[in-house]
Amino acid sequence: MAFSFFSRSAFVLVVFLSLFQLSLSAEDNQYVQATDAQGNTVYLRDNRRPALYTGNFGDCLGSSNVNVTRFDAAYYKDNMTVLFHLAGNTAIKNESLMMYIGVFAYGESRFDLTFNPCSANINSLCPMRAGIPIEANGIIPISQSDVAGIPSIALTIPDFEGEAILRIFANSTETEIGCFSAVVTNGATFSQPKSVGTILGVFAAIALFASFATAIYGDNIPVMRTHYAHSISVLVVFAVFQHIFFTGALSMNWPSVLVAFWSNYAWAGGIIYTESMQNSINKFIGSNKGNTTAVGAAGTGASNENLGGGYDIHQIYKRALNIPGLMRRAKFNRVARHLERTLAKRDLANSTDGFSWYGQPVKPGLPLPGNFSGFAGTLGQESIPASNAFMTGFLWFLIILAIIAAAVVGFKWLLEGLSIAKLIKHDRLAFFRTHWLGYTAFAVLRSLFIGFFMITFLCLFQFTYMGASGVLAIAAIVFVVMFVGMFGLAAYACFYRIKFGNYVSKPDRLNLERRRVLKIIPWYSFTRASEQLNDEEKIYAGSIPWWHVSPAAPESTKSIHEDEDYIKKFGWLTSRFRRTRWWFFVVWLVYEFIRACFYAGASGHPMTQVFGLLVVEFIAFIAVIIIRPFEGQRLNAIVVYLLGFSKVATLALSAAFDVRFNLPRIPTTVIGIVIIVIQGILTIVLLIAIALGAISSYMSVMRNRDEFKPKRWIPLREKYFKHLDQAQKDVPPPPPPPPPVPEEPKGPYFNVNSIRRVPKIEDEDPEFVAEIGGDASTSQISLGMMGKHEAFPEIPTRASRAGSIRSQMSHSSLPHGARVHRASWSSRDFSDFHAHERKRTASSTIPLVPDSESRRVSQNIGLNTRYMNSKESIAQRGPSPLSGVTNRPLTPPKDDRVSSPLPMPRSRNSITSPSSPYRPPLKTLVSENEVPILNKQS
């Protein structure tokens, strides 16, 4: 029961507290009555965010007789009203006024209203008197036609580019006595320094810690340098961030989207706003704020008569004379009636005090709100005047140097304390703990090297901007220290390497080579004369004296990345560059100095800045692609390709923002978004590279551990270490191995390596043995086309039918259809046959036919050989008509004879005369093209 009682009591208490909280919220939240598009009555919160509202404001007249402390206006789309509030004071004793409010979006007028404050029941301005605070409030209902000129996208697009202008005119003199301009926004913006800027700062810190970890871990200096060279470079990180932010130093009329986007990177350029620091700088500078107009943007308090297209005083007072009292119009009658009803319910001033969507008056030296021209407009986004830019950046740079030095020293003593407490091993990071003073000095020097462009630019910018003499003196001292100090250290590093690194300097010449690109485009390039000793085909347009530095003894000269003494002294300059590009730090300093001169020295001359920098960046882009200075591939990918492309593309697109081109603001905004996309992609790639660099640095720090986690990264770590070993040599990678030859498919095959003849019965026949021995008279061939010409028969050169066909009509004792078997041959048989053939041919003197026809005879002709289409043989027909030709077989000349290596088939049972040197040849066909019908009697 007790438990149930306490449960019910707790429930009642919770309900009571909830109702009490809701009642407090209902009292805090005030509501206004409105009518929606369907005519229904709705209640809206009074502190809701308007669709469009004004931000910070400034004096656009320069000598206003009215001191305005608050000026805000808001457009509510939900109930179609415009709310405005004006607060201030004046020294004018008594003056009747006319007021003008104009709203501009993307350079075009979208809404304007001219009215008499007396007709709008603004008593503090009817008339305006000294000593009476100005409190002008108004809630003006409007129609759709009044805001038809405002596109719907303007309510959602980030960094809506608009401004609201309030002009005050004195009726007695019909002159402008006050002008105030406020920026108009919809609340959506790319400027998110608290979130985006913080994320970028965290990634930069990760890159810094990863780089520092690889620099201090280990005791082998060349190995430490190798792993340090492949970690992410803090120089590259800040080169990207500063490139993006300091693009705003060009004297262009920037769109609001770009200035808002660049504000996320302002911290990387040392532009960080703190109220206390700015107040101290303002006291030091005094009233001399410098020449703001020289850097591209007019400051607040200066005369801007043409702001918003200017005004025509005659039109304003002409309308006032023709219509005595603008409130007589129907629209303003509705305004008056609405104001009367509102005042009857509650105090209008109190209702607008709860309105929190308004800006503050900008401080002296800042550009007029809505004006984003030049570096002053970029700094205005951070509420830092251009006169304070150098001191702000310089002070933050000194703070960063002190933090870095203190962090290194503090880390050393932290390790010592952990070692004494036996929380870490005694020899942990022993090399760093021994050389901690050198690490501290080199960390500071490396920071100076990274901040060289920023400090040089700010110093030169202060010289262009002028300002207080004390600031100019500090800027001059800092510039001399940075310029002389950094270039002096760079020159000493080169001198030390040449003098103590066994190098010699020889005179050389730099030739200007004339050639053609793509065989059409004329082009010029520089080549060393020492590299073109034997090339006489090149054409040179001229040459200049130069020098050539090379090792005195290449085989004995130690690599710069293996020279421990040099790494200890100048590793902070050279360690990240390739072995053959160790001197690139000099090129980088020269390049950064030239950029700073164009950005700051040519401030106020936009075309000089853009096209001068475009030439410099394009040349640098091509040169860095050729040189590829960094040993790490990630650094080359960012600096060589992405960063160079972003610089060239940004400068080329920025040329469209020059005021002389008068480009409409909407296309200007589109171009600005394109630049944001390019620089945003560069930022994303950099963040990915930082993450990958942190992983690779973790692998480097864990290189001496036997156990590595996660284990699935072990193959990646081994591959990464192999890449380090190859990259530090700075030689072309070995060619890939040739593709493996495909293995032939295995299967049944037949291969005859040798033949050995077995004795046969035919070996006992003397005639057969004589034939094998080389007696060519026993060979038989068929005659082709013989007898076509009676005087000179034609003898074919070769047979066109197989031996099996030619032997079908041979006289033999074999059964019908049987084939004559021939003996096989060996290599000795062939040699004996050719020897006997040469001997027999040499003894023959009677040719059968002339030489021209003798080439066609291949073997001897038998007497029983029959003619084509005839049963008569050569012996039956008689001798040849040619005189002097015997019936014995004749052999063609030695040079023209073509003999067959295999004898023709014969019959073993042939009858021959013992006294005759020749045996009866087998009968063959005369024709090679016809097979006669077999004789049935045979």
Side-chain angles (χ1 to χ4, degrees), residues 341-359:
R341 289 195 302 267
T342 304
L343 290 173
K345 295 180 181 179
R346 60 179 177 174
D347 186 6
L348 183 63
N350 294 333
S351 67
T352 55
D353 285 340
F355 179 73
S356 59
W357 306 98
Y358 62 90

Side-chain angles (χ1 to χ4, degrees), residues 824-885:
S824 60
W825 293 74
S826 64
S827 59
R828 187 181 65 180
D829 297 333
F830 278 104
S831 62
D832 295 342
F833 171 78
H834 289 304
H836 182 77
E837 183 70 13
R838 287 192 297 270
K839 179 178 179 181
R840 190 193 64 78
T841 305
S843 62
S844 177
T845 56
I846 303 176
L848 177 63
V849 293
D851 292 341
S852 61
E853 295 293 331
S854 65
R855 302 176 185 270
R856 311 179 64 169
V857 180
S858 63
Q859 291 188 10
N860 296 331
I861 304 173
L863 295 178
N864 293 330
T865 302
R866 292 184 292 113
Y867 290 96
M868 182 177 61
N869 299 330
S870 175
K871 297 182 178 180
E872 296 181 359
S873 62
I874 295 177
Q876 293 174 352
R877 180 169 292 189
S880 174
L882 297 175
S883 60
V885 179

Side-chain angles (χ1 to χ4, degrees), residues 210-211 214-215 217 221-232 576 631 696-697 699-701 703 720-721 724-725:
S211 178
T214 55
Y217 180 77
I221 295 179
V223 174
M224 295 166 64
R225 187 222 62 86
T226 300
H227 288 270
Y228 169 78
H230 289 265
S231 62
I232 192 66
R576 291 200 178 273
E631 188 172 305
S696 64
S697 298
M699 294 179 180
S700 297
V701 171
R703 61 182 179 269
Y720 175 64
F721 290 162
L724 296 187
D725 295 337

Side-chain angles (χ1 to χ4, degrees), residues 312-368:
D312 187 356
I313 192 67
H314 301 289
Q315 284 292 95
I316 294 174
Y317 280 96
K318 182 180 178 181
R319 292 171 60 189
L321 292 174
N322 292 338
I323 306 177
L326 297 178
M327 293 298 293
R328 294 180 180 178
R329 293 185 298 173
K331 181 171 68 173
F332 291 98
N333 288 333
R334 294 195 304 270
V335 173
R337 289 193 298 270
H338 181 76
L339 291 177
E340 290 175 358
R341 289 195 302 267
T342 304
L343 290 173
K345 295 180 181 179
R346 60 179 177 174
D347 186 6
L348 183 63
N350 294 333
S351 67
T352 55
D353 285 340
F355 179 73
S356 59
W357 306 98
Y358 62 90
Q360 300 293 336
V362 297
K363 296 180 179 180
L366 290 174
L368 202 63

Side-chain angles (χ1 to χ4, degrees), residues 236-433:
V236 173
V237 174
F238 278 88
V240 172
F241 291 166
Q242 290 178 359
H243 146 65
I244 294 174
F245 176 72
F246 285 115
T247 302
L250 298 174
S251 299
M252 298 292 177
N253 188 14
W254 302 111
S256 58
V257 290
L258 269 180
V259 176
F261 176 74
W262 291 335
S263 66
N264 301 315
Y265 301 83
W267 63 270
I271 306 301
I272 304 174
Y273 178 84
T274 57
E275 186 72 22
S276 58
M277 179 181 289
Q278 295 303 312
N279 292 336
S280 301
I281 295 175
N282 289 331
K283 293 179 181 179
F284 178 72
I285 292 176
S287 59
N288 188 354
K289 299 297 182 181
N291 185 12
T292 310
T293 58
V295 293
T300 183
S303 177
N304 293 272
E305 296 181 357
N306 294 325
L307 184 66
Y311 64 92
D312 187 356
I313 192 67
H314 301 289
Q315 284 292 95
I316 294 174
Y317 280 96
K318 182 180 178 181
R319 292 171 60 189
L321 292 174
N322 292 338
I323 306 177
L326 297 178
M327 293 298 293
R328 294 180 180 178
R329 293 185 298 173
K331 181 171 68 173
F332 291 98
N333 288 333
R334 294 195 304 270
V335 173
R337 289 193 298 270
H338 181 76
L339 291 177
E340 290 175 358
R341 289 195 302 267
T342 304
L343 290 173
K345 295 180 181 179
R346 60 179 177 174
D347 186 6
L348 183 63
N350 294 333
S351 67
T352 55
D353 285 340
F355 179 73
S356 59
W357 306 98
Y358 62 90
Q360 300 293 336
V362 297
K363 296 180 179 180
L366 290 174
L368 202 63
N371 188 350
F372 308 104
S373 299
F375 191 47
T378 304
L379 293 172
Q381 190 74 16
E382 304 300 318
S383 300
I384 296 178
S387 58
N388 298 10
F390 164 72
M391 290 300 301
T392 301
F394 176 63
L395 290 177
W396 278 112
F397 187 68
L398 293 180
I399 293 172
I400 292 297
L401 291 180
I403 292 174
I404 290 175
V408 176
V409 175
F411 184 70
K412 190 268 179 187
W413 291 111
L414 175 63
L415 292 177
E416 296 295 340
L418 294 176
S419 176
I420 294 173
K422 297 183 179 181
L423 297 177
I424 62 173
K425 295 181 179 180
H426 179 70
D427 59 347
R428 179 71 68 192
L429 299 177
F431 185 85
F432 165 73
R433 290 157 61 185

Side-chain angles (χ1 to χ4, degrees), residues 886-930:
T886 63
N887 291 333
R888 68 180 180 84
L890 300 179
T891 304
K894 179 180 180 181
D895 296 337
D896 297 332
R897 182 175 68 252
V898 179
S899 59
S900 173
L902 297 176
M904 298 301 294
R906 69 177 185 86
S907 173
R908 295 181 56 202
N909 299 327
S910 300
I911 302 175
T912 57
S913 174
S915 60
S916 175
Y918 307 103
R919 68 178 178 85
L922 298 176
K923 294 183 180 181
T924 60
L925 296 177
V926 175
S927 173
E928 293 181 350
N929 301 323
E930 179 180 358

